[in-house]
Amino acid sequence: MNYLQYTFTLENPEIWSEILMAYLAELPFESFQMEENKLLGYILKNEDCQDRITEIIDALDCEISFSKEEIEQINWNQKWEENFSPLTIEDKIYIHADFHPEKDLPYRIKIQPKMSFGTGHHQTTSLMLSFLLEEQLDGKTVLDMGCGTGILGIFAKMKNAKSVLGIDIDTWSFENAIENCQKNQVDCTILQGDASLLTDQKFDVILANINKNILLQDLPSYVSVLNPKGSVFLSGLYHFDKQDIVEVCENLGLEHIETKEKDQWIALKFTR
């Protein structure tokens, strides 16, 4: 089956490309890449959804135009290997693939990202990892919503979390998170679905690196399964999203503790 390559031309791509990508990731796109200040997105021809794409663009406060062309089948493994470089966070976490050399740091996470988000390269993932470096996780129960590659849950287990539940609605992410947990020899439970899966289990720590709209929709569900004195870490947010998120969280009984920022992307910590 051939693919369609969408080429998006954006005003201020250094800001809006990541925001657009976050929204398009909810559609059946299988991969994204930046090329000469344009965002390229790949989707199977039979899953094209141009009307939905147009709706997303119209809702954003940015000038965005796009074109599309049909291309032949893509070797995704080759493509991500060409673009995935190892990453070090705060001289303590080393994120790498099988084909990268090892590095002697306290935490080493092996990732096969495929089409999933969360290699650590994006500002929001690195901010969440930075928060987790500071967090005492021994014996705690952790929920990772929108787990992507599973990297946050994997790191939580490396920091001696009692249990980790990862949930993602995307099939690629669900399968990839399971694979990466196995690669790192950590025991995480990974489910495919959304916040409707949250029922009786309670958590000490909730991680959600998704996007503003999903967070606003699902925050009541997160709080309903948060233990007393539990912590919530949120990202996938741009700096101008902060006020709306903080207001909703405070209305749900959470206290805003700290904000981390990198290149105008933010991660927020709340406690109950």
Side-chain angles (χ1 to χ4, degrees):
M1 175 67 67
N2 283 358
Y3 282 79
L4 295 176
Q5 175 184 287
Y6 273 83
T7 301
F8 300 93
T9 303
L10 306 90
E11 176 188 20
N12 297 324
E14 67 281 0
I15 296 175
W16 285 100
S17 60
E18 298 287 356
I19 297 174
L20 176 61
M21 189 189 309
Y23 283 101
L24 294 177
E26 299 174 20
L27 305 181
F29 279 93
E30 295 192 3
S31 183
F32 299 97
Q33 69 179 95
M34 289 297 298
E35 186 175 285
E36 297 180 354
N37 293 322
K38 298 181 187 295
L39 176 64
L40 307 183
Y42 300 92
I43 189 170
L44 281 169
K45 183 179 179 181
N46 66 350
E47 293 186 337
D48 189 21
C49 47
Q50 184 171 326
D51 291 343
R52 299 269 309 279
I53 294 168
T54 301
E55 289 175 5
I56 289 172
I57 290 174
D58 289 344
L60 296 176
D61 186 22
C62 174
E63 291 292 329
I64 303 174
S65 60
F66 67 85
S67 61
K68 65 179 180 180
E69 61 177 319
E70 185 171 346
I71 60 175
E72 295 182 357
Q73 182 87 12
I74 296 173
N75 183 336
W76 292 116
N77 282 336
Q78 178 182 348
K79 184 169 285 290
W80 77 255
E81 286 183 11
E82 290 171 353
N83 293 284
F84 179 42
S85 56
L87 176 69
T88 300
I89 295 178
E90 298 187 20
D91 290 325
K92 293 181 179 178
I93 307 174
Y94 179 56
I95 301 165
H96 65 106
D98 288 321
F99 54 87
H100 292 136
E102 293 286 343
K103 193 170 184 178
D104 187 19
L105 288 179
Y107 302 100
R108 297 184 294 275
I109 305 175
K110 193 175 293 185
I111 293 293
Q112 173 97 4
K114 293 187 177 177
M115 270 58 76
S116 305
F117 291 91
T119 62
H121 288 76
H122 191 264
Q123 293 90 330
T124 58
T125 310
S126 62
L127 288 170
M128 293 286 275
L129 288 168
S130 180
F131 262 132
L132 291 180
L133 269 171
E134 303 167 359
E135 193 73 5
Q136 176 59 253
L137 296 177
D138 291 69
K140 292 187 176 181
T141 53
V142 176
L143 170 65
D144 182 8
M145 290 298 302
C147 61
T149 61
I151 190 171
L152 298 180
I154 290 168
F155 185 52
K157 283 295 289 186
M158 288 180 172
K159 291 202 69 183
N160 299 317
K162 177 182 178 181
S163 65
V164 171
L165 171 62
I167 297 176
D168 204 298
I169 198 168
D170 178 69
T171 300
W172 280 105
S173 296
F174 165 68
E175 295 174 349
N176 190 213
I178 292 173
E179 179 182 4
N180 287 327
C181 288
Q182 293 170 345
K183 278 183 175 293
N184 290 276
Q185 299 180 332
V186 299
D187 182 19
C188 300
T189 299
I190 309 296
L191 301 178
Q192 184 173 7
D194 55 22
S196 65
L197 295 175
L198 303 176
T199 53
D200 298 330
Q201 189 173 354
K202 297 291 185 177
F203 301 93
D204 301 309
V205 176
I206 296 177
L207 314 170
N209 181 17
I210 309 180
N211 66 56
K212 177 184 176 182
N213 289 343
I214 298 298
L215 292 177
L216 291 175
Q217 170 187 297
D218 290 346
L219 271 166
S221 297
Y222 302 163
V223 174
S224 72
V225 296
L226 182 66
N227 280 327
K229 298 183 179 180
S231 299
V232 178
F233 298 88
L234 307 176
S235 197
L237 302 166
Y238 210 60
H239 67 96
F240 50 65
D241 297 324
K242 179 177 177 178
Q243 183 176 348
D244 291 342
I245 294 291
V246 170
E247 182 178 340
V248 169
C249 286
E250 290 179 342
N251 288 338
L252 290 168
L254 300 178
E255 180 184 358
H256 177 224
I257 302 300
E258 185 180 354
T259 300
K260 289 184 182 291
E261 182 169 343
K262 184 177 182 181
D263 301 329
Q264 301 187 71
W265 291 92
I266 59 171
L268 307 171
K269 176 182 180 178
F270 298 87
T271 60
R272 191 168 199 175

